[in-house]
Amino acid sequence: QEITVTITDGKVFINDAQVIVADIVAGNGVVHVIDVVLIPAPGVKISEHQNLGKIITDTNGMTLYFLSRDAKDFSNCTGTCLENWPVFYNPGLMVGEGLNADDFGTIVREDGMKQTTYKGWPLYYYIHDINPGQAIGDGRSNTWFAAKPDYTIMLVNNQLVGNDGKNYKGDYTAGYQIIQYFTDDRGRTLYTWTRDFFNTNKFTRQDFSNNGNWPVYEEDNIVVPSTLDASLFSSIDVHGRKQMTYKGWPLYYFGADGNVRGNTKGVSVPSPGIWPVARQNMEAAMPATVVDIVVNSEAHNILEAAVIAAGLAETLSGTGPFTIFAPTDAAFEALPEGTVETLLQDPSGLLTQILLYHAVAGKVMSTDLSNGMKATTVQGQEITVTITDGKVFINDAQVIVADIVAGNGVVHVIDVVLIPETTTNVTDISGGETMFSMYPNPASSTVTFDLRNLDTFAPATLSIYSMDGRMIRQMPAIDPVINYDVRDLKNGLYIVVLKQNNRISTEKLIVR
């Protein structure tokens, strides 16, 4: 590096050091005595750019760059590429404040030249940056980016190679294709899991016992290349730790990559495409539905089987919103012996009534509940909320986990199966009163309700509900046979409820 001589009032200064004794001649040169130790300027330093924030520059303030094609520990800029992107090399590198000398290294290029690296990234200049502080090369071809000291996401262009040793294309079929994907600041590959939901990590156990297989990317500081939208990144809490997300997808490492830059072994585990690399153009993660929450819960296997058997899974995966009070497996197992099996044998009968009695239209959070509050279920009958000593009960069932939010509603876990009032004794569930029949079902134009099993001396009402709990139509059940035109109804599933005194019967109607 250069030093500067200043002569003022007969005094000689070398940079800021004064020469206090000059011209001590030796046989092989001369010595001048100075009063201050000269400190070389750092070969690299952090400079502030008006648009990019903190960037890494050389000692003169010239911007240094990363190349996304440098996915591994060598440079892919060769030949004519070097005409526009000269290499940066400083053999006795001193680093400026805020930089760690251990992050810098040196590679020997294929052409024999040496090149300085930062966190494994070879460093370059851009020939069209004429003045210090310029960063004209940033974002060029979405592959050149100003070097920053604090990236938490970087882009690499690389061939995917699975743990099986095979090459994969971007659609995870076998073949050769260079694709661009996300890494951390040191070029270590970041993955997503296809079974996760929006901002929901479904993989990591609470004790982190499986974190060694797919470690969460524990980062919540978002610093990304200029061609990425930082607002699409966020972080979530995973059992007390922070995990970065992109478009709602939680980001992971793959343990078997061994923290090695450029490894992509996870793309074939357990089969291609289950753990895709995170990419800029990937679709946003889907919000979990109330059904997804039940299906993915280890405590709701019986409820899952019941919802599927009753044909309600697709409906409860719709837009909703729904509030679901979800009994645990232990709650179902507390019913009299044989009850669950009997219910599953006739899923369109009492099982459907019981399940719909656990669903309320709308998204009702725990903060919306009040003591004595009543809510009408999709089944048609009311449930009652009781709050005692801070404990919340739905009828006689205690809410043991509240506010599990889904994209189409919310789930509250309860410890008792709710039984509609029409079933006065849970041991009677094996049967189930059928007060009416309807045909054809599915219906496309007209459905006929046969009410001849009713007590003709008591008033009755027939109601049709949509699956979000809205009453579509209510009519007096006067005639023994009622023909109803369904052509004004949208295609889908509806609940028909017949009430007479304390008796109630519920059936599913499909409109096509």
Side-chain angles (χ1 to χ4, degrees):
Q1 295 183 31
E2 291 182 342
I3 55 174
T4 301
V5 178
T6 306
I7 302 176
T8 304
D9 298 330
K11 297 177 181 179
V12 177
F13 295 85
I14 309 299
N15 292 353
D16 295 326
Q18 184 179 350
V19 176
I20 53 178
V21 179
D23 299 337
I24 305 174
V25 178
N28 65 341
V30 62
V31 174
H32 307 288
V33 179
I34 57 176
D35 63 354
V36 172
V37 177
L38 302 178
I39 305 296
V44 288
K45 62 182 181 180
I46 296 176
S47 299
E48 194 72 28
H49 188 274
Q50 59 181 354
N51 297 322
L52 301 175
K54 291 181 173 61
I55 62 173
I56 300 176
T57 67
D58 71 2
T59 188
N60 298 313
M62 300 301 294
T63 302
L64 300 174
Y65 292 88
F66 297 154
L67 172 61
S68 66
R69 295 200 302 272
D70 293 344
K72 300 183 179 181
D73 293 326
F74 55 85
S75 168
N76 279 284
C77 181
T78 60
T80 57
C81 172
L82 294 175
E83 295 176 5
N84 290 316
W85 302 93
V87 303
F88 169 76
Y89 175 59
N90 187 314
L93 187 66
M94 294 184 61
V95 304
E97 184 178 353
L99 294 172
N100 186 341
D102 292 338
D103 288 332
F104 290 86
T106 300
I107 59 171
V108 178
R109 299 166 46 84
E110 289 185 356
D111 54 18
M113 291 193 301
K114 293 183 178 180
Q115 186 170 9
T116 300
T117 63
Y118 178 69
K119 294 183 177 180
W121 298 96
L123 295 171
Y124 305 83
Y125 292 107
Y126 183 45
I127 194 171
H128 296 296
D129 284 344
I130 305 301
N131 300 311
Q134 288 184 315
I136 299 172
D138 182 72
R140 303 280 293 188
S141 304
N142 201 29
T143 57
W144 290 97
F145 300 98
K148 292 176 67 68
D150 53 355
Y151 279 125
T152 51
I153 291 289
M154 262 304 295
L155 291 167
V156 301
N157 294 44
N158 194 20
Q159 170 68 54
L160 302 179
V161 181
N163 196 52
D164 54 8
K166 296 180 180 178
N167 293 301
Y168 288 95
K169 297 188 289 187
D171 61 359
Y172 300 98
T173 59
Y176 294 90
Q177 182 184 16
I178 301 297
I179 69 166
Q180 188 174 81
Y181 58 87
F182 296 167
T183 72
D184 69 0
D185 59 332
R186 296 182 181 273
R188 297 174 294 198
T189 304
L190 296 173
Y191 301 82
T192 62
W193 191 36
T194 54
R195 297 178 187 175
D196 279 341
F197 300 117
F198 189 87
N199 282 346
T200 305
N201 175 329
K202 299 299 295 181
F203 177 80
T204 306
R205 298 184 187 128
Q206 190 166 1
D207 62 359
F208 286 88
S209 58
N210 60 349
N211 195 53
N213 298 326
W214 294 94
V216 300
Y217 182 34
E218 295 184 52
E219 182 61 66
D220 61 356
N221 186 33
I222 300 167
V223 182
V224 302
S226 58
T227 57
L228 294 179
D229 184 350
S231 69
L232 299 177
F233 293 84
S234 186
S235 66
I236 57 175
D237 182 273
V238 179
H239 313 309
R241 301 186 189 180
K242 293 295 185 181
Q243 182 176 20
M244 184 176 284
T245 66
Y246 176 67
K247 292 185 178 180
W249 290 106
L251 300 179
Y252 304 80
Y253 294 109
F254 180 44
D257 278 345
N259 288 324
V260 175
R261 175 187 182 85
N263 277 0
T264 59
K265 295 180 179 181
V267 297
S268 66
V269 178
S271 59
I274 299 299
W275 287 87
V277 291
R279 301 178 66 180
Q280 182 176 5
N281 60 353
M282 66 192 304
E283 296 293 329
M286 292 295 292
T289 67
V290 291
V291 172
D292 292 324
I293 290 173
V294 169
V295 168
N296 286 279
S297 169
E298 296 179 358
H300 290 94
N301 297 305
I302 298 175
L303 179 60
E304 174 189 351
V307 168
I308 293 172
L312 296 174
E314 182 177 355
T315 298
L316 293 176
S317 296
T319 55
F322 305 101
T323 297
I324 303 297
F325 298 98
T328 61
D329 290 340
F332 277 101
E333 291 165 356
L335 295 173
E337 185 176 355
T339 299
V340 173
E341 291 77 7
T342 302
L343 287 170
L344 290 172
Q345 289 174 5
D346 182 22
S348 63
L350 276 174
L351 178 61
T352 294
Q353 287 195 42
I354 290 173
L355 292 176
L356 295 176
Y357 190 55
H358 290 76
V360 173
K363 185 176 181 180
V364 184
M365 303 295 290
S366 62
T367 52
D368 299 323
L369 302 177
S370 59
N371 189 40
M373 173 182 175
K374 294 183 181 295
T376 301
T377 66
V378 176
Q379 183 263 355
Q381 295 186 38
E382 289 184 338
I383 53 175
T384 302
V385 178
T386 305
I387 302 177
T388 305
D389 297 329
K391 299 177 180 178
V392 177
F393 296 85
I394 307 299
N395 293 353
D396 295 326
Q398 183 179 347
V399 176
I400 54 178
V401 180
D403 299 336
I404 306 175
V405 178
N408 68 339
V410 63
V411 175
H412 306 289
V413 180
I414 57 176
D415 63 355
V416 173
V417 177
L418 304 176
I419 305 298
E421 293 177 5
T422 50
T423 306
T424 57
N425 189 330
V426 76
T427 59
D428 297 334
I429 287 178
S430 59
E433 185 176 24
T434 302
M435 296 167 58
F436 72 101
S437 61
M438 57 186 175
Y439 55 86
N441 190 15
S444 58
S445 58
T446 302
V447 62
T448 298
F449 300 112
D450 187 336
L451 312 178
R452 284 176 286 190
N453 285 339
L454 284 179
D455 179 355
T456 57
F457 297 100
T461 57
L462 189 70
S463 305
I464 301 176
Y465 290 86
S466 66
M467 286 307 298
D468 61 3
R470 292 181 298 109
M471 182 185 292
I472 304 299
R473 175 73 189 277
Q474 186 175 79
M475 64 195 89
I478 300 173
D479 299 324
V481 176
I482 298 175
N483 294 314
Y484 182 73
D485 191 338
V486 298
R487 285 175 293 187
D488 289 338
L489 299 180
K490 296 180 180 180
N491 291 348
L493 183 63
Y494 295 83
I495 302 299
V496 180
V497 179
L498 181 63
K499 291 182 180 180
Q500 187 178 52
N501 294 334
N502 292 324
R503 302 164 68 201
I504 185 169
S505 184
T506 304
E507 300 288 345
K508 290 184 294 184
L509 170 64
I510 299 173
V511 176
R512 291 179 179 169

